[in-house]
Amino acid sequence: MIRHTLIIGVFVFSALISFAKHFVDSSGQYFQFVCPYPDSEYNNINTLIAIRQGELINIDDIIQNPENVSIVSETGVLYEYTLRLLDDGRTINIDPIEDFELNTFISVSISGIIIAQSGEILPSLTFSFSTSSKIPDAYRKDEILLELGIDPDEEIIEGDRVYPSIATLVNTNPSPGYIFMSTTGTEKYIAILDSAATGPIWNIESGLNGNDFKPNGDNILTYYNRFTFGWNLMDDYAVNYETIYMVNGYNCDDHELVILPNGLRFMQAYDIQTLDMSQYVIGGNPNCQVEGLVIQEIDDTGGLVMQWRTWDHLIPTDNNYLVLTESSLFLWHGNAIEVDNDDNILLSLRNIDEITKIDRETGDIIWRWGGGNSSTSQFTFTNDTKFTFQHDIRRLENGNLLLYDNGNYNLNQASRCVEYSMNMNTMQVTLEWEYLHPDGLFAPSMGGCRRLSNGNTFINWGNVVNDSYGARVTEVDMEGVRVLEYAYPLGYNTYRAYKDDWFFNEDAVGCPAPSAINYDPDATILLIELCQYDWDVDGYSPEMGDCNDINNTVFPGAEEIPYDGIDQDCDGADLTDVDGDGFDIEFDCDDNDDTSFPGAEEIPYDGIDQDCNGEDLVDVDNDGIPYPEDCDDNDENIGLGLAEIPNDGIDQDCNGVDFADVDGDGYDANIDDCNDNDNTIYPGAEEIPDDGIDQDCSGADLTDVDGDGYNADIDCDDNNENINPDVVEIPNDGIDQDCSGADFVDLDVDGFDANSDDCNDNDNSIYPGAEEIPSDGIDQDCDGEDFVAIEELYSIGIVMYPVPANTFLNLQTNNTESYSVRIVSMNGQAIFEKNTWTGNLSISCDSWSNGMYQVEVKMGNTCARGIALVMSGKGEK
């Protein structure tokens, strides 16, 4: 390791401090996460540097130019480092090769980070932080163990012991799954119990290890290792294969480990630092030992993805329970980490009655939800007395939050499992469900509750102080009915309990009974319910497929005796194959003849169905056409598809009749010739209209007597060639020339038919489209109404109609001038206004009340008024 002392250390240091302030002001512009937190204190001397920009980045420029990263102490020490980009492609870890000095000021400058997609080079990042005055806890593990009264050299005992007895208090159809328990007491165990907790299916005596034993991540088990301050990972063969740790000098705490299926891990640590409390409270101890909390997200390579510390985001006065002038303060006490449904983090801080939501990308606090004695809560409770000293916050599938309320400071000092909904618009929290034990159990510490997949809730009551039992666990349905409850003797306790469908690899599981056929004393997991027995001693149990375990001649693979009614080989049926041709009687059409079986070669005309297709092959005349396709199998010239010879009395093509064509027109009387005595009659012959003969065999004669090309079925007068659907109609002659059903009547000779659209055929000024003369009482345009001209409006060329109006009120003019209109109800309320319009204007009035309205129209300086009557069906005005 090389450490360089800079000659221009003071100058570099000053420049970095200046830029650090710039970074703090614009941190959101370029980088979303920086660790250590800029300007933060109490960082361990072996802290690595982590930064994340948010997009995929390229660090090739930094690798090629190591001087792009500068890590400098206030004394001018320049630190060398190792650098890597984590698998997420967004987060850089920079790890100084040598530890920093205690209680010093460190400045960091990083340049050359490139956005991978765009190639953009980001501006330089510069920030600073201070180191702690204490040695990191990770460097003093043995010392800490001794302080806890634990011999670091003590052998870790993990082995089989007699598991403590479990008292079953309720067992009425609990949910399926296995129960995962870590129990403390005179003897300490981690164990997996069956779904009703009647006993362990696997357990080991775990010594001081084992806290928070549970399924985690992708099919692994985890539990806390108190000797190494890490977490043991166990595979589905019950083998410990790895112990994982936090970074930056922190010892893992035993309250929480969350592993996601993708391998990302969330852990926490307590961090005691010397804090001058006099800067927060009058009389505060200037050398107070204050316990902070650190949570980290670590990837499966040990890389730091995210770090969050109470030192950087919370203040000691958030705690309203402690006397802040004491010499030591345990302010926060984190006990649960939950990855929320939006991928951010929920953190349970027990000692301040708070659930804190943290942005997983930036570390910023999103919201704070406080319970009983919280002064920082952003939420109010609508119907609850609030939780205190809670455990085990979890997000439910329905979007609500579930937690265990220890209730240390509740008015009713009893613990409970509670479900809340949160309204993020009103910032209100509503109690949706709770369960308090009928015995009023109260646990000042530990405990947790989890919602199961079937809707039941699994509750570990924690360190209960008012019970005749030790650890007690309850499963209830959504109505609060207990379906399972079990308890351990006094002296045993458990931090959390879980129910899950996780199970060991089937290769690790065996039977413990020596009398069983599958006895396996070497299996990792021994389950009596897996034992199988062979009562007839033929080497097979019923579970192995023995279909008759009281007959040792019957077992899978036994020699089958055909036709004895017994299924010796347990394949599901007796073998019936008397002729030994390999086909069961179910498929063999003659099981007494080994030449007859499905797929055998067929011999024609032997009377035997060799191939079991249901018939013999018959082809006596050897014409290649078998019966029944061959209608005369004694004549090779007769068969389906052969050419037919007409009128010979023989059915050559086997269609059922001879080809009969008496009139010699080439068409068969048996099939399509409708008159075989007349060679002018056949399908396709030329049809002679109106001769009463169906020449073309279409089923009817063509009738067109007048020769106008129209059959009588569409010609309304087939005796007159001037009458058919295409003839032009002659008006007023009393004749329907175009077969429309009536003569075209136009008495007033205005070009419109009185039968259909002329509303007055005695007046040639009245017809559809005629110019309407307003207010003359006549409907000139046949639209069903006369224009009603309001005298004053009509004076400026405006006609208003209809009267009364219903859906639309129309203003019509032939003038090209521009008009404006304003309509006012009789109580003076303006209903409609339009400043400029020309031509015709249609105004919707179907929403107006029934009554009269004043219509005022202006054209230039000329104004005219009229009254409109509206009957819209909306009721009286």
Side-chain angles (χ1 to χ4, degrees):
M1 195 279 299
I2 302 174
R3 186 171 69 184
H4 303 283
T5 301
L6 298 182
I7 298 175
I8 55 172
V10 175
F11 170 77
V12 172
F13 180 62
S14 300
L16 293 180
I17 291 176
S18 173
F19 201 85
K21 294 179 180 178
H22 172 71
F23 165 76
V24 171
D25 291 340
S26 60
S27 59
Q29 185 176 0
Y30 301 119
F31 298 93
Q32 61 179 200
F33 172 70
V34 176
C35 175
Y37 198 77
D39 296 331
S40 62
E41 301 178 280
Y42 315 118
N43 296 284
N44 284 329
I45 57 176
N46 58 343
T47 292
L48 60 80
I49 295 159
I51 58 174
R52 181 170 52 254
Q53 194 277 334
E55 300 185 61
L56 296 178
I57 58 176
N58 182 324
I59 60 171
D60 290 347
D61 189 59
I62 302 177
I63 294 173
Q64 296 168 8
N65 302 282
E67 65 276 8
N68 283 357
V69 176
S70 173
I71 308 171
V72 185
S73 74
E74 62 182 322
T75 59
V77 177
L78 180 64
Y79 291 89
E80 294 186 345
Y81 61 88
T82 61
L83 175 143
R84 68 177 175 129
L85 182 64
L86 301 189
D87 291 344
D88 64 6
R90 304 183 306 135
T91 307
I92 301 174
N93 277 192
I94 303 170
D95 193 358
I97 295 174
E98 183 178 277
D99 287 349
F100 302 125
E101 298 173 84
L102 292 172
N103 198 25
T104 191
F105 189 81
I106 304 296
S107 294
V108 180
S109 177
I110 305 169
S111 61
I113 300 176
I114 302 171
I115 300 295
Q117 184 174 4
S118 66
E120 174 191 359
I121 301 177
L122 294 174
S124 297
L125 166 66
T126 305
F127 66 99
S128 56
F129 60 90
S130 299
T131 60
S132 172
S133 60
K134 56 169 278 190
I135 298 295
D137 286 346
Y139 287 0
R140 38 188 306 271
K141 291 182 178 181
D142 287 353
E143 181 182 342
I144 294 173
L145 288 173
L146 290 173
E147 292 173 358
L148 296 173
I150 301 172
D151 183 358
D153 298 323
E154 177 184 342
E155 182 181 357
I156 300 176
I157 300 174
E158 290 188 355
D160 296 331
R161 296 278 184 90
V162 177
Y163 197 72
S165 61
I166 301 174
T168 301
L169 307 180
V170 177
N171 181 6
T172 57
N173 193 31
S175 64
Y178 295 92
I179 298 170
F180 297 80
M181 298 287 297
S182 167
T183 52
T184 60
T186 306
E187 295 170 342
K188 301 172 178 63
Y189 298 88
I190 55 176
I192 302 177
L193 315 180
D194 61 27
S195 62
T198 58
I201 63 172
W202 173 88
N203 75 97
I204 60 172
E205 207 287 330
S206 57
L208 295 176
N209 296 335
N211 200 56
D212 202 29
F213 173 60
K214 65 186 176 187
N216 224 329
D218 185 12
N219 204 41
I220 61 175
L221 295 174
T222 60
Y223 62 91
Y224 187 67
N225 188 321
R226 197 172 297 276
F227 287 88
T228 64
F229 298 98
W231 289 91
N232 285 0
L233 308 187
M234 178 185 287
D235 63 20
D236 55 357
Y237 287 92
V239 174
N240 289 319
Y241 66 92
E242 184 182 0
T243 302
I244 60 175
Y245 303 93
M246 295 177 69
V247 299
N248 292 348
Y250 299 111
N251 286 335
C252 294
D253 172 66
D254 64 351
H255 281 84
E256 185 72 285
L257 165 67
V258 175
I259 303 181
L260 302 183
N262 62 6
L264 291 172
R265 303 152 182 180
F266 294 85
M267 293 173 275
Q268 70 169 43
Y270 293 122
D271 179 33
I272 298 177
Q273 298 286 343
T274 301
L275 188 65
D276 180 5
M277 284 298 297
S278 66
Q279 61 182 319
Y280 296 101
V281 294
I282 297 173
N285 190 319
N287 296 302
C288 185
Q289 299 301 295
V290 177
E291 181 186 71
L293 178 72
V294 181
I295 63 172
Q296 291 179 349
E297 178 180 353
I298 307 291
D299 69 12
D300 57 4
T301 68
L304 178 64
V305 180
M306 192 277 291
Q307 175 174 286
W308 186 92
R309 307 186 314 159
T310 54
W311 305 120
D312 304 326
H313 298 277
L314 304 180
I315 57 175
T317 51
D318 289 346
N319 189 304
N320 295 314
Y321 287 112
L322 298 178
V323 177
L324 299 183
T325 56
E326 297 290 337
S327 60
S328 60
L329 295 171
F330 298 94
L331 294 172
W332 318 114
H333 191 82
N335 57 30
I337 300 171
E338 172 78 347
V339 179
D340 204 352
N341 51 16
D342 60 1
D343 280 337
N344 292 309
I345 297 169
L346 298 174
L347 174 64
S348 173
L349 296 172
R350 165 182 165 87
N351 286 5
I352 61 170
D353 302 338
E354 180 171 303
I355 306 300
T356 309
K357 184 160 184 174
I358 300 167
D359 190 310
R360 186 171 162 192
E361 295 288 346
T362 66
D364 295 335
I365 292 177
I366 298 174
W367 49 249
R368 302 178 71 176
W369 170 32
N373 202 28
S374 169
S375 60
T376 59
S377 180
Q378 297 169 258
F379 294 84
T380 57
F381 288 78
T382 63
N383 63 341
D384 191 47
T385 57
K386 304 181 183 180
F387 56 82
T388 59
F389 270 44
Q390 76 288 341
H391 275 80
D392 210 23
I393 179 69
R394 304 296 158 189
R395 178 73 73 175
L396 300 178
E397 288 186 1
N398 64 8
N400 292 344
L401 289 167
L402 188 75
L403 60 81
Y404 184 69
D405 178 14
N406 290 80
N408 294 40
Y409 294 93
N410 292 0
L411 294 177
N412 175 26
Q413 198 173 57
S415 301
R416 58 182 181 151
C417 181
V418 287
E419 177 182 346
Y420 295 105
S421 63
M422 304 185 79
N423 188 321
M424 300 307 299
N425 294 320
T426 63
M427 301 301 281
Q428 290 181 316
V429 178
T430 301
L431 177 66
E432 301 291 349
W433 181 88
E434 68 175 347
Y435 182 79
L436 291 92
H437 196 279
D439 294 344
L441 299 181
F442 168 60
S445 60
M446 304 186 189
C449 50
R450 300 294 176 101
R451 183 65 45 79
L452 304 180
S453 59
N454 69 344
N456 289 359
T457 304
F458 196 69
I459 307 169
N460 161 45
W461 293 100
N463 184 24
V464 179
V465 295
N466 59 341
D467 196 6
S468 58
Y469 294 100
R472 198 194 296 208
V473 179
T474 304
E475 181 181 340
V476 299
D477 62 21
M478 285 304 292
E479 284 70 44
V481 177
R482 285 181 289 176
V483 297
L484 175 67
E485 185 165 287
Y486 61 95
Y488 288 79
L490 280 172
Y492 286 94
N493 214 333
T494 185
Y495 169 57
R496 284 194 188 127
Y498 304 85
K499 199 168 197 180
D500 196 272
D501 60 1
W502 187 97
F503 197 57
F504 287 102
N505 190 294
E506 61 181 12
D507 295 336
V509 181
C511 164
S515 59
I517 189 174
N518 61 336
Y519 172 55
D520 184 5
D522 298 323
T524 302
I525 314 301
L526 298 175
L527 298 179
I528 192 69
E529 58 265 32
L530 297 181
C531 293
Q532 303 174 16
Y533 297 89
D534 179 20
W535 302 111
D536 57 9
V537 196
D538 58 8
Y540 291 87
S541 67
E543 294 83 0
M544 297 167 66
D546 194 338
C547 52
N548 187 341
D549 206 36
I550 59 174
N551 184 341
N552 62 9
T553 67
V554 177
F555 54 84
E559 183 178 355
E560 184 69 25
I561 302 173
Y563 281 99
D564 66 350
I566 301 172
D567 178 19
Q568 281 88 1
D569 61 2
C570 294
D571 67 352
D574 180 32
L575 178 61
T576 52
D577 186 10
V578 175
D579 56 11
D581 59 6
F583 287 86
D584 200 281
I585 192 171
E586 182 181 352
F587 307 101
D588 198 333
C589 52
D590 185 352
D591 208 37
N592 293 307
D593 184 352
D594 62 1
T595 65
S596 296
F597 53 84
E601 183 179 356
E602 183 70 23
I603 301 172
Y605 279 94
D606 64 352
I608 301 171
D609 179 18
Q610 282 87 0
D611 60 3
C612 295
N613 70 351
E615 60 186 4
D616 180 32
L617 178 62
V618 287
D619 189 9
V620 175
D621 56 10
N622 199 31
D623 59 4
I625 304 173
Y627 178 85
E629 288 85 355
D630 197 333
C631 54
D632 185 350
D633 209 36
N634 292 308
D635 188 339
E636 63 182 2
N637 296 311
I638 296 176
L640 185 67
L642 296 181
E644 181 72 21
I645 300 173
N647 301 319
D648 64 353
I650 300 172
D651 178 19
Q652 281 88 0
D653 62 3
C654 294
N655 69 350
V657 293
D658 177 36
F659 185 92
D661 186 14
V662 175
D663 56 10
D665 58 7
Y667 290 87
D668 190 348
N670 296 311
I671 304 174
D672 48 9
D673 195 337
C674 55
N675 186 343
D676 204 42
N677 293 310
D678 188 340
N679 62 7
T680 67
I681 298 175
Y682 53 85
E686 182 178 356
E687 183 69 25
I688 301 172
D690 292 310
D691 65 352
I693 301 172
D694 180 18
Q695 281 86 0
D696 60 4
C697 294
S698 65
D701 181 32
L702 177 62
T703 56
D704 185 8
V705 176
D706 56 11
D708 59 4
Y710 288 87
N711 242 26
D713 56 350
I714 60 173
D715 194 335
C716 55
D717 185 351
D718 206 35
N719 292 308
N720 188 336
E721 64 181 2
N722 296 313
I723 297 177
N724 61 59
D726 279 341
V727 171
V728 176
E729 183 72 21
I730 301 172
N732 303 321
D733 64 353
I735 301 173
D736 178 19
Q737 281 86 0
D738 61 2
C739 294
S740 65
D743 179 33
F744 186 92
V745 178
D746 185 13
L747 299 179
D748 55 9
V749 196
D750 57 6
F752 290 88
D753 189 353
N755 293 315
S756 56
D757 45 11
D758 194 337
C759 55
N760 187 340
D761 203 38
N762 294 311
D763 188 338
N764 62 7
S765 67
I766 298 175
Y767 53 85
E771 181 178 357
E772 184 71 25
I773 301 172
S775 301
D776 64 353
I778 300 173
D779 177 18
Q780 279 87 0
D781 61 2
C782 293
D783 66 352
E785 59 189 3
D786 179 31
F787 279 1
V788 179
I790 306 301
E791 294 279 341
E792 190 173 339
L793 295 177
Y794 193 65
S795 67
I796 62 170
I798 300 295
V799 175
M800 180 171 63
Y801 69 95
V803 177
N806 185 298
T807 303
F808 288 93
L809 177 64
N810 300 295
L811 299 180
Q812 179 174 311
T813 179
N814 292 325
N815 294 333
T816 59
E817 286 83 355
S818 176
Y819 292 88
S820 66
V821 62
R822 183 171 185 264
I823 300 177
V824 181
S825 67
M826 286 305 168
N827 61 7
Q829 180 182 1
I831 299 300
F832 177 83
E833 287 187 277
K834 188 172 181 67
N835 291 329
T836 303
W837 59 275
T838 57
N840 299 326
L841 176 64
S842 184
I843 303 167
S844 173
C845 61
D846 62 349
S847 63
W848 298 5
S849 298
N850 294 344
M852 292 187 295
Y853 295 81
Q854 179 174 282
V855 180
E856 179 183 284
V857 178
K858 289 183 179 182
M859 180 182 68
N861 295 323
T862 303
C863 177
R865 296 178 178 84
I867 299 299
L869 175 62
V870 174
M871 299 298 289
S872 65
K874 297 298 181 180
E876 292 300 324
K877 176 68 178 172

